[in-house]
Amino acid sequence: MRLGLFGKGGADKAEAQEQAGRIKALMREILGLSDAAAIAVNEIICADPACPGSETVILVMNPGEKTKAFKLRMAMAEVTPAAVQDMLAAEGL
């Protein structure tokens, strides 16, 4: 059961945490981020027909830098290394 606009509830919470951890590790590896950088990953579920359904939002907070926000138009479970690399390439990174 999905509650609200953010994340999942109940048994799905452990799966969401696992997927978020996987995406954080991908971002850290691809961008070469140190442990000092904080990364937040959330899946936003949009009920508006104009939305793609689920989006994965990634925030990278590196000390001394502006927070960078990235979006993938897919659920966290669908995020692949190639999708992350394509997203970062589109951002010029």
Side-chain angles (χ1 to χ4, degrees):
M1 177 204 265
R2 295 181 179 184
L3 302 173
L5 296 176
F6 295 94
K8 302 171 190 263
D12 290 338
K13 187 173 183 177
E15 175 66 21
Q17 289 175 335
E18 183 179 320
Q19 294 298 334
R22 180 181 63 80
I23 295 166
K24 288 177 187 182
L26 273 172
M27 293 293 289
R28 194 171 299 283
E29 179 182 339
I30 293 169
L31 291 175
L33 298 171
S34 72
D35 290 338
I39 303 169
V41 178
N42 290 289
E43 184 175 304
I44 298 173
I45 302 155
C46 182
D48 184 334
C51 292
S54 293
E55 283 187 329
T56 298
V57 178
I58 305 165
L59 299 176
V60 176
M61 297 158 277
N62 217 4
E65 297 179 13
K66 283 185 162 185
T67 298
K68 295 178 182 144
F70 305 97
K71 287 185 184 180
L72 287 163
R73 298 183 130 211
M74 60 187 70
M76 288 191 299
E78 298 170 346
V79 174
T80 64
V84 170
Q85 289 174 334
D86 290 347
M87 171 194 69
L88 294 172
E91 294 289 329
L93 299 174

